[in-house]
Amino acid sequence: MKRGQWSNQWGFILASSGSAVGLGNIWKFPYITHHHGGGAFVLVYLLCVALVGLPIMLAEIYLGKRSQKNPVGAFRFLKQESRFWPWVGGMAVLCAAIILSYYTVVAGWVLHYVWLSLKGGLPGTGGEEAAHYFTAFAGDSALQLFYHTVMTAGVMAIVYRGIQRGVEKANKILMPLLILALLFLSAYVTMEHEGGRALRFLFSPENFSQLKGGAILEALGHAFFTLSLGMGAILTYGSYMDRKAGVMKSAICIVFADLGIAFLACFLIYAILFSQGEEVAGGPGLLFVTLPTVIEQATGSQLASALFFVLVLFAALTSAISLLEVVVAFIVDTFSWGRKGSVLLAGTVIFLMGIPSALSMGWLSDHLIWGKTVFDLLDHFVSNWLLPIGGLLTALFVGFVANEKGMEEEMKQPWPMLYFLWRSVLRYVTPVLVVLVIAKTTGLII
Ligand code: PHE
């Protein structure tokens, strides 16, 4: 069967940026950066992106583009006789399914907050009332199931329409709107609030003493998550690239887009928070409790909160699309099924897998596994284990195993020097850093 293809190189860059830009950029990055005191942490994070994120992203795009296959097929294609490597691809597909199963739950929360702000019913101006509301909402099992269903169905409907008419088109509409909304809110904030202080906080790296223990490892883990690495999304999107499209240039654009939006989100959030003197709460608190009330107080308008949540919803949606596409590509390639049947199958299975997460703060809140709710357990297991391991194996595979001539031709353009730099970093620097993260997470080193 004929595989889908992006309409041009920008289609690929836009969709991959859509995958990378998500809740990680708008919710998690601002919170961890604030936690570690700003500028110095940003510098560490930038190093992690340069030494781990970008090299693995190049490796994933290469694997996809060269093989024109899903993750399992890609590893098989480049190492025909191996029985081990296709399993690495299989792990990536599984990872994508697991992440999507709970990502739609969080996206559902965002959808609910869009609705609340549109009808003018965002909970209270006091932090406590908002926190109360959020806990009650997350514990309302029937409502959670409803939103989980709506979000999964929405993502399925887009992927169902195919690469150009579904995935690419959705990104072409949603990404520019996201950027516009972000720029609009930021411009507003610069004039009215502490824009200058927010910038200094982000970009003057003098506060190394404020870096908390584990800062480097946290920065590294986040680089994986935010760039959608280690679970086959970028690889799968790469498999729909045109043979002539450049890998180096595309990867650099995606990384810059991801960084740019993360910084804009930080700027917006800090500028408002600093002018309100609020403490930044972590976890779901930042997005669903502190921010809505603060934005409303700062701008005096419900519409600003609605715009903000719509922006977050778009970011989450374009990431969720890429996760479903990984599983769909796998089914289409492996069993030669049509896209429509594959979307229905993958979507239904992932929907069912997500039910325990949707109920984890409601009906299942008493059922803890190792002291964690199902939702927390899945997130912990995937972010701390599966993504870094997947990334490490991908780096080793492209660095040492898939050592073929085609790679040089493909990756040398347009900057041959960068090719050699990338190869050496991918072989000798990236794996060591990732092993350090894994050792840290497992408690082998403290
Ligand atoms: N990169 C997305 C974010 O920052 C999350 C994600 C991870 C999306 C893995 C797809 C795959 O929120």
Side-chain angles (χ1 to χ4, degrees), residues 145-441:
L145 277 182
F146 168 75
Y147 279 116
H148 175 52
T149 314
V150 172
M151 287 312 302
T152 314
V155 175
M156 283 168 73
I158 295 173
V159 176
Y160 190 85
R161 295 171 61 86
I163 289 302
Q164 278 194 21
R165 288 191 20 223
V167 179
E168 183 172 333
K169 196 160 166 204
N171 276 287
K172 274 194 172 142
I173 300 172
L174 298 179
M175 286 302 283
L177 286 178
L178 181 155
I179 294 171
L180 271 180
L182 204 53
L183 285 176
F184 175 76
L185 285 173
S186 305
Y188 183 83
V189 151
T190 323
M191 290 185 282
E192 298 279 322
H193 299 284
E194 296 271 11
R197 199 170 136 210
L199 280 183
R200 274 196 304 284
F201 181 77
L202 263 178
F203 295 118
S204 55
E206 63 231 353
N207 40 6
F208 277 92
S209 59
Q210 279 195 40
L211 281 182
K212 308 229 169 21
I216 300 182
L217 298 155
E218 184 146 33
L220 201 53
H222 186 64
F224 270 106
F225 188 79
T226 189
L227 293 173
S228 302
L229 299 175
M231 35 63 61
I234 297 294
L235 188 162
T236 304
Y237 273 7
S239 76
Y240 303 124
M241 261 172 124
D242 183 61
R243 288 241 177 263
K244 293 192 293 287
V247 176
M248 273 295 172
K249 268 195 197 150
S250 308
I252 292 175
C253 287
I254 300 164
V255 167
F256 273 104
D258 189 74
L259 284 175
I261 293 191
F263 287 141
L264 257 182
C266 280
F267 170 71
L268 172 68
I269 290 166
Y270 297 155
I272 295 182
L273 286 178
F274 289 159
S275 60
Q276 299 284 304
E278 290 268 343
E279 252 315 293
V280 184
L286 177 64
L287 200 56
F288 298 104
V289 179
T290 317
L291 268 182
T293 42
V294 171
I295 289 193
E296 218 169 293
Q297 276 168 21
T299 59
S301 130
Q302 291 268 349
L303 218 59
S305 323
L307 190 63
F308 177 74
F309 279 112
V310 169
L311 174 171
V312 182
L313 183 70
F314 287 175
L317 207 57
T318 48
S319 297
I321 293 171
S322 72
L323 288 163
L324 183 56
E325 185 58 40
V326 174
V327 187
V328 169
F330 169 71
I331 300 178
V332 170
D333 289 353
T334 315
F335 306 109
S336 302
W337 277 34
R339 163 170 284 268
K340 303 200 160 140
S342 309
V343 171
L344 288 178
L345 176 69
T348 311
V349 171
I350 292 168
F351 170 75
L352 295 175
M353 282 165 62
I355 291 180
S357 296
L359 301 181
S360 68
M361 280 157 249
W363 290 333
L364 293 181
S365 60
D366 293 336
H367 293 75
L368 299 184
I369 309 168
W370 295 307
K372 286 185 178 356
T373 62
V374 182
F375 181 98
D376 287 342
L377 189 75
L378 287 179
D379 183 35
H380 176 85
F381 182 60
V382 172
S383 314
N384 293 353
W385 288 87
L386 295 187
L387 294 188
I389 293 176
L392 172 67
L393 291 171
T394 307
L396 293 176
F397 183 74
V398 175
F400 295 101
V401 182
N403 199 355
E404 44 139 71
K405 281 208 311 295
M407 188 183 309
E408 195 167 330
E409 258 167 58
E410 185 82 61
M411 305 293 282
K412 247 182 159 168
Q413 303 307 331
W415 304 293
M417 273 305 289
L418 269 190
Y419 167 74
F420 294 107
L421 189 65
W422 167 64
R423 284 284 284 176
S424 339
V425 172
L426 190 71
R427 284 182 154 180
Y428 306 112
V429 180
T430 311
V432 175
L433 285 173
V434 179
V435 166
L436 281 180
V437 185
I438 297 174
K440 165 78 183 176
T441 337

